[in-house]
């Protein structure tokens, strides 16, 4: 009777979930860096809204007040910071985002020491989507290539560790090579993109040659410059 009367204690169920976060690396003077952020927002309004953002302060030496001013400046631009890294914990207050560590970088510096590692990497796997990616939807596949047989609608987003192949119109955003694959490419049968990015280098709709609009196109990196040409 006593055993039956005991209330069984239910364990709390914990689940892991990963997100692709933008990492901002401020440079001095901070005001000039903020102006670059303003220029990006002007070209693509709302691009950072609702996105996880991490601030890497390893390249600057900011006081606690300076960090607070930077966070406020970003919040005024509708950029919410998820966490901070690259700074001593003593410079953060309880009201600031937490100190993070152990994040996996999505940018590989082109140093000679890392080139052999790139050759040794296994060939990325792939994801095939037969249905179109509609407005508001997000596809994230950091393990390799993404192939979409349909179109990518305006406001939709495709994020891939490898290349992105779209056999329809690309009207939304496509970000390839997010895990440091500098050789990744973006292909589409009709380019009307809001944003294209490869390994962190990007171009918005205003940067894309108007002569390419509505045509088959490909994008790739040439050094630190993104090239977009017609796909013949």
């Amino acid at each position: 009777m006593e055993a039956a009367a005991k209330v069984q204690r239910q364990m709390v169920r914990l689940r892991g979930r990963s997100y692709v976060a933008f990492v901002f690396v401020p440079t001095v003077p901070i005001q000039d860096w903020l102006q670059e952020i303003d220029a990006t927002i002007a070209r693509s309004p709302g691009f950072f809204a609702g996105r996880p953002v991490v601030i890497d302060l390893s390249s600057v030496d900011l006081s606690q007040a300076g960090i607070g001013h930077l966070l406020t400046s970003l919040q005024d631009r509708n950029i919410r910071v998820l966490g901070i890294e690259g700074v001593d914990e003593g410079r953060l207050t309880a009201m600031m985002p937490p100190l993070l560590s152990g994040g996996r970088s999505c940018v590989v510096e082109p140093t000679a020491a890392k080139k052999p590692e790139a050759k040794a990497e296994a060939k990325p796997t792939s994801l095939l989507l037969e249905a179109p990616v509609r407005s508001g939807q997000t596809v994230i596949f950091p393990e390799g290539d993404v192939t979409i047989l349909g179109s990518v609608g305006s406001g939709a987003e495709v994020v891939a560790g490898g290349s992105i192949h779209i056999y329809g119109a690309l009207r939304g955003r496509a970000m390839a090579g997010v895990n440091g694959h500098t050789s990744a490419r973006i292909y589409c049968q009709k380019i009307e993109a809001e944003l294209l990015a490869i390994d962190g280098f990007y171009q918005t709709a205003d940067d894309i040659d108007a002569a390419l609009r509505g045509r088959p196109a490909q994008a790739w990196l040439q050094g630190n410059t993104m090239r977009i040409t017609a796909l013949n």
Side-chain angles (χ1 to χ4, degrees):
M1 294 289 292
E2 292 182 2
K6 286 184 179 179
V7 178
Q8 290 187 349
R9 186 176 179 181
Q10 186 175 6
M11 298 295 292
V12 176
R13 188 177 185 182
L14 302 178
R15 293 181 176 178
R17 183 168 297 173
S18 61
Y19 295 88
V20 175
F22 290 108
V23 178
F24 286 1
V25 184
T27 56
V28 291
I30 295 295
Q31 194 58 41
D32 290 351
W33 180 80
L34 288 172
Q35 289 178 0
E36 294 180 9
I37 296 295
D38 289 336
T40 300
I41 295 174
R43 290 195 299 266
S44 185
F47 179 61
F48 297 116
R51 306 298 183 92
V53 171
V54 174
I55 300 294
D56 181 357
L57 299 178
S58 59
S59 298
V60 294
D61 184 14
L62 298 180
S63 63
Q64 189 177 87
I67 296 173
H69 181 266
L70 174 61
L71 293 173
T72 300
S73 299
L74 292 174
Q75 187 172 3
D76 291 342
R77 292 163 171 79
N78 293 321
I79 298 174
R80 308 253 342 205
V81 178
L82 173 72
I84 301 175
E85 61 182 22
V87 67
D88 186 86
E89 190 174 8
R91 296 195 184 186
L92 305 181
T93 68
M95 300 301 295
M96 291 180 180
L99 184 67
L100 302 179
S101 63
R104 181 183 179 185
S105 175
C106 290
V107 178
V108 175
E109 296 294 337
T111 60
K114 292 188 179 180
K115 286 183 179 179
E117 293 182 13
K119 292 180 180 178
E121 288 179 355
K123 186 177 180 180
T125 56
S126 61
L127 172 68
L128 172 65
L129 299 178
E130 298 184 4
V133 182
R134 303 188 184 281
S135 178
Q137 291 183 322
T138 298
V139 175
I140 301 177
F141 188 70
E143 290 80 11
D145 294 0
V146 173
T147 300
I148 300 170
L149 299 185
S151 298
V152 177
S154 176
E157 184 176 79
V158 180
V159 180
S163 297
I164 297 175
H165 308 258
I166 301 171
Y167 285 84
L170 170 57
R171 300 186 178 92
R173 302 163 180 162
M175 290 180 276
V178 296
N179 287 332
H181 292 287
T182 56
S183 60
R185 296 197 176 206
I186 299 173
Y187 303 90
C188 64
Q189 288 299 311
K190 187 176 182 181
I191 186 167
E192 297 176 355
E194 298 170 356
L195 179 141
L196 298 177
I198 299 176
D199 192 30
F201 297 95
Y202 68 92
Q203 289 192 24
T204 62
D206 293 338
D207 301 321
I208 300 173
D209 188 349
L212 294 174
R213 287 277 166 180
R215 299 178 61 188
Q218 65 170 324
W220 78 97
L221 285 184
Q222 189 175 66
N224 292 337
T225 302
M226 179 184 289
R227 297 288 307 278
I228 303 175
T229 60
L231 184 63
N232 296 325

